[in-house]
């Protein structure tokens, strides 16, 4: 799918390449609501390559509105509970550079049916996947995914 890149100003990044939602506490407390359905994380923010999805990344008010997520090819790790309770999430695209998916990263993503993975089955099996990620493990994994599939 060719969705438009999500506005980079919605995110912030550390010098080490860890991305998080800007104004996280306002979303967490319900003062703001996330409304973007198709989230496309950019490869760079403020000139820094995005490598890690921060823990509790989308633990925000409105996360049930998210239906699709596309992570850039630069992502190496998804930290704990990053997409926890994104109950509307149906599809995610993961890059073959990914080496670890932490505890409960996809916990509560009950509608997750498709994982589009840009690598091979052998590469997928080398990813360290933490506990309580059954929603991810039970989804249909599409290997060698390209946006033209």
């Amino acid at each position: 799918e060719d969705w438009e890149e999500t506005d980079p100003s919605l995110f912030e990044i550390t010098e080490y390449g860890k991305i998080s939602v800007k104004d996280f506490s306002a979303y967490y407390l319900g003062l703001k609501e996330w409304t973007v359905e198709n989230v496309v994380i950019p490869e760079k923010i403020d000139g820094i390559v995005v490598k890690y999805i921060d823990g509790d990344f989308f633990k925000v008010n409105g996360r049930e509105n998210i239906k699709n997520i596309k992570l850039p090819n630069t992502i190496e790790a998804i930290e704990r509970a990053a997409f926890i309770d994104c109950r509307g999430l149906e599809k995610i695209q993961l890059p073959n550079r990914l080496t670890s998916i932490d505890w409960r990263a996809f916990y509560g993503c009950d509608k997750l049916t498709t994982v589009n993975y840009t690598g091979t089955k052998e590469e997928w099996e080398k990813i360290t996947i933490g506990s309580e990620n059954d929603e991810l493990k039970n989804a249909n994994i599409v290997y060698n995914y390209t946006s033209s599939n």
Side-chain angles (χ1 to χ4, degrees), residues 15-129:
E15 60 185 295
Y16 305 109
K18 186 183 292 190
I19 188 175
S20 57
V21 173
K22 190 180 277 184
D23 295 334
F24 177 83
S25 57
Y27 284 102
Y28 184 80
L29 295 170
L31 304 174
K32 285 185 169 183
E33 182 175 4
W34 188 269
T35 57
V36 181
E37 277 187 18
N38 299 317
V39 178
V40 180
I41 305 291
E43 284 197 1
K44 286 184 176 181
I45 295 176
D46 298 332
I48 301 169
V49 174
V50 177
K51 294 182 182 177
Y52 313 104
I53 303 294
D54 199 4
D56 296 329
F57 182 70
F58 268 131
K59 200 171 183 180
V60 295
N61 181 39
R63 64 184 173 270
E64 64 280 353
N65 295 321
I66 301 167
K67 291 193 178 354
N68 302 291
I69 297 173
K70 181 178 178 183
L71 298 184
N73 292 325
T74 53
I75 294 292
E76 298 173 13
I78 298 172
E79 296 188 354
R80 63 170 169 65
F83 304 112
I84 194 168
D85 293 335
C86 286
R87 299 198 183 279
L89 181 63
E90 298 168 5
K91 190 185 298 183
I92 189 162
Q93 181 175 324
L94 300 176
N96 64 342
R97 185 173 286 189
L98 191 61
T99 59
S100 70
I101 298 171
D102 210 344
W103 172 78
R104 283 189 159 194
F106 290 93
Y107 184 85
C109 297
D110 303 326
K111 289 186 179 174
L112 182 62
T113 55
T114 306
V115 176
N116 291 325
Y117 179 62
T118 63
T120 63
K121 184 177 185 193
E122 293 74 28
E123 288 172 309
W124 176 260
E125 290 170 350
K126 290 179 184 172
I127 298 172
T128 303
I129 300 177

